[in-house]
Amino acid sequence: MHIPGVFLIIALGASRANARTCTIKPLGHSQSDVSQIEAAIAACGYGGTTVLEAGEYNITRKMHWDLANSHVDLHGSLNFVFDLEHWMDPASTYRVIFIQSQASWFVVSGHDFTIDAHGTGGIVGNGQHWWSWYGNATRLDGDGRPVSLTLSHVARGTVRDFRVDGPPFWCNAVADSSDVLYDGMTCVSENADETWFGQNIVWNTDGIDTYRSDNITMLNWDITTGDDCLAIKGNSTNVFAKNVTCRGGTGIAFGSVGQYYQLPDYVDNVVLEDITFVRPDAQVQPLMEHGVYFKSWTGTRIGFPPTGGGAGGGRVSGVVARNVNLDQVTTPIQVYQTNLGHPGDKPSKLQFTNLTFTNWTGTAQTSTVVDLECSTAAPCTDLTFEQINIAVPGDQVAEFACVNVASVAGVACGGWVPFPHRLSFF
Ligand SMILES: *[C@@H]1O[C@H](CO)[C@@H](O)[C@H](O)[C@H]1NC(C)=O
Ligand SMILES: *[C@@H]1O[C@H](CO)[C@@H](O)[C@H](O)[C@H]1NC(C)=O
Ligand SMILES: *[C@@H]1O[C@H](CO)[C@@H](O)[C@H](O)[C@H]1NC(C)=O
Ligand SMILES: *[C@@H]1O[C@H](CO)[C@@H](O)[C@H](O)[C@H]1NC(C)=O
Ligand SMILES: *[C@@H]1O[C@H](CO)[C@@H](O)[C@H](O)[C@H]1NC(C)=O
Ligand SMILES: *[C@@H]1O[C@H](CO)[C@@H](O)[C@H](O)[C@H]1NC(C)=O
Ligand SMILES: CC(=O)N[C@H]1CO[C@H](CO)[C@@H](O)[C@@H]1O
């Protein structure tokens, strides 16, 4: 068997007899590495081991890895060259993420695999070029900017100690997948172009969006972003995130949900544990907007996805957010059901229920520590707040705002309830 550029080694270890190993290293000399990577994955991606040695791999076109009973050691980085014209041509990306028809330049599918990037490997997204270019251009959901790492139709996959530097758009997405473990993920979207200092030009660099997926575990994440740290979207069930640091951006989002009027979104059983929100240097990243927030579209559909929509139903239930520390977060906890809405829209019918917030500490940057603006058509029910101890700026009075909340435990709710200087109850 002859595969150019791939060293095929028959491993003779007793435990993995006949398991193949393919080892490659960057070709260098201005050559594209995509063909040799595809050849290695084709040869060793089913039942074998693929080793990408340290260094930078030159990724010039879209890439799909289909893996089964397989292990990939990614010691080096996949450098997706900056070529806006190329990547923005719809033919240059995959469209496997249904919601908002998002584009992907790198898709992994399959079952029973591990991709281990050993803390040294991952993706170089060259995001700075994208962010600076889009600094004065319109950014729309689904406009074709590619997701960096997409897991699509995966069962029992693991991604370990992976790093994405400069994602142009979402850092990760997982869709139509189940039993996925991400252990160790770093995403860095940090503007260094002084033209844009003090402004957020890294919109849409979400740490991850989960969609139509079940049993997704995220351990040991460190996300620097200008948008959602994690975004739990429609039909995500049994999601567990632990030890996540979110630096900048808009916080951990549930949603947006309710964008597709004909497709209800159900989100159930999401546990967030040991979460830290850190407000970065305002010159680099001006936002640290929420801790955890929930957003649905209104009950009126205006236009169609990817950019328009609304009027979708469904339910977000069984959310627990515990052991959360906040560093000057604007609004720590928020629910709103008017995402991209207009005055006069019908109220959303999508319901938020059984949400529990336990052991929250740290500081808020404004007085409204909790802002629950639920829908008249679907009031929030079974909300529980316990061990909340969040300080607000010294000269202000902490507030807990509730609109259309049918049942809440832990606080008195029924209008704007002021607390002096901190929202604190046990
Ligand atoms: C990547 O490959 C392309 C096509 O062969 C080449 O033009 C480009 O210079 C390479 N880039 C790097 C950094 O090697
Ligand atoms: C959930 O996925 C993990 C892998 O991340 C697996 O070990 C576990 O068995 C799965 N749980 C269920 C209930 O299938
Ligand atoms: C939490 O995750 C970070 C990586 O983001 C890691 O360095 C740290 O060791 C983890 N902490 C624990 C207690 O596992
Ligand atoms: C979510 O799952 C339900 C079935 O449980 C289905 O009816 C609905 O269309 C799905 N929604 C989306 C957005 O896929
Ligand atoms: C509320 O959510 C938690 C966490 O998902 C779950 O264990 C519990 O059963 C739910 N309670 C009800 C009444 O559904
Ligand atoms: C509360 O959360 C903090 C992290 O913010 C953690 O250190 C502490 O152990 C938690 N307390 C309990 C009782 O779990
Ligand atoms: C889309 C767009 O107008 N981009 C411009 C933003 O500004 C830089 C520098 O000022 C131009 O080079 C881009 O073409």
Side-chain angles (χ1 to χ4, degrees):
M1 189 170 184
H2 177 70
I3 299 163
V6 177
F7 301 88
L8 205 53
I9 296 162
I10 308 299
L12 296 174
S15 59
R16 301 192 60 141
N18 301 321
R20 290 158 303 162
T21 297
C22 299
T23 302
I24 58 173
K25 56 183 179 214
L27 293 174
H29 308 290
S30 298
Q31 298 175 79
S32 173
D33 285 296
V34 179
S35 297
Q36 69 151 346
I37 294 171
E38 285 175 339
I41 294 291
C44 290
Y46 300 104
T49 296
T50 310
V51 179
L52 284 83
E53 290 187 343
E56 281 212 349
Y57 293 84
N58 183 9
I59 309 301
T60 52
R61 54 182 171 83
K62 65 183 176 186
M63 190 165 63
H64 172 209
W65 294 0
D66 190 43
L67 303 171
N69 307 309
S70 161
H71 188 97
V72 179
D73 284 312
L74 177 62
H75 296 283
S77 321
L78 307 171
N79 184 340
F80 286 77
V81 295
F82 177 66
D83 184 345
L84 198 74
E85 215 179 316
H86 170 76
W87 293 118
M88 293 304 285
D89 175 349
S92 299
T93 52
Y94 301 102
R95 300 294 166 122
V96 294
I97 303 169
F98 174 82
I99 189 167
Q100 299 163 346
S101 314
Q102 300 296 4
S104 304
W105 63 18
F106 179 28
V107 174
V108 178
S109 61
H111 64 91
D112 301 286
F113 64 80
T114 295
I115 297 174
D116 190 342
H118 299 277
T120 58
I123 289 171
V124 171
N126 296 296
Q128 186 68 60
H129 297 288
W130 290 82
W131 308 327
S132 293
W133 195 89
Y134 274 95
N136 52 357
T138 306
R139 278 164 282 215
L140 295 171
D141 270 323
D143 60 12
R145 285 171 294 151
V147 175
S148 290
L149 176 59
T150 300
L151 301 193
S152 169
H153 292 95
V154 166
R156 298 174 303 280
T158 297
V159 176
R160 214 176 273 289
D161 298 328
F162 199 98
R163 181 181 174 94
V164 181
D165 272 304
F169 189 72
W170 299 350
C171 183
N172 286 276
V174 59
D176 303 295
S177 295
S178 59
D179 307 329
V180 170
L181 168 65
Y182 295 89
D183 185 356
M185 174 62 65
T186 303
C187 298
V188 186
S189 301
E190 210 174 69
N191 173 49
D193 177 347
E194 58 186 38
T195 312
W196 307 103
F197 277 176
Q199 299 179 49
N200 182 29
I201 62 160
V202 297
W203 286 113
N204 309 120
T205 55
D206 301 11
I208 190 169
D209 282 60
T210 70
Y211 190 65
R212 294 181 172 171
S213 290
D214 179 59
N215 188 23
I216 307 300
T217 302
M218 292 168 265
L219 308 178
N220 309 317
W221 282 46
D222 193 322
I223 305 299
T224 304
T225 179
D227 215 302
D228 293 336
C229 179
L230 315 176
I232 312 300
K233 285 186 157 62
N235 288 15
S236 298
T237 50
N238 304 308
V239 176
F240 180 56
K242 184 177 167 77
N243 185 26
V244 176
T245 301
C246 303
R247 304 175 195 276
T250 50
I252 295 182
F254 287 78
S256 60
V257 282
Q259 185 173 2
Y260 290 78
Y261 72 94
Q262 77 283 36
L263 298 174
D265 286 320
Y266 296 99
V267 172
D268 186 43
N269 190 29
V270 179
V271 177
L272 310 171
E273 190 174 293
D274 302 344
I275 313 290
T276 306
F277 295 92
V278 180
R279 179 177 284 277
D281 178 345
Q283 183 170 282
V284 175
Q285 173 47 249
L287 305 180
M288 188 65 262
E289 227 169 75
H290 300 97
V292 176
Y293 75 116
F294 300 79
K295 52 177 170 179
S296 81
W297 292 63
T298 70
T300 299
R301 182 189 61 73
I302 298 178
F304 291 91
T307 54
R315 187 170 52 250
V316 173
S317 57
V319 175
V320 178
R322 63 177 167 242
N323 308 346
V324 176
N325 188 253
L326 308 165
D327 168 24
Q328 302 172 72
V329 170
T330 309
T331 307
I333 297 171
Q334 189 172 45
V335 176
Y336 60 92
Q337 302 207 238
T338 52
N339 182 57
L340 301 182
H342 310 74
D345 281 2
K346 287 187 213 137
S348 166
K349 288 187 178 154
L350 198 149
Q351 192 181 36
F352 295 99
T353 181
N354 187 16
L355 316 179
T356 302
F357 306 89
T358 305
N359 185 22
W360 284 54
T361 53
T363 54
Q365 212 190 42
T366 62
S367 58
T368 308
V369 170
V370 179
D371 180 18
L372 308 174
E373 299 178 47
C374 305
S375 170
T376 48
C380 294
T381 58
D382 298 315
L383 307 189
T384 304
F385 294 84
E386 49 198 19
Q387 300 166 45
I388 308 288
N389 188 356
I390 300 170
V392 300
D395 56 342
Q396 295 181 27
V397 171
E399 287 175 309
F400 191 114
C402 300
V403 176
N404 299 315
V405 177
S407 55
V408 56
V411 288
C413 193
W416 295 79
V417 185
F419 293 81
H421 311 310
R422 62 169 55 231
L423 183 61
S424 175
F425 43 85
F426 293 88

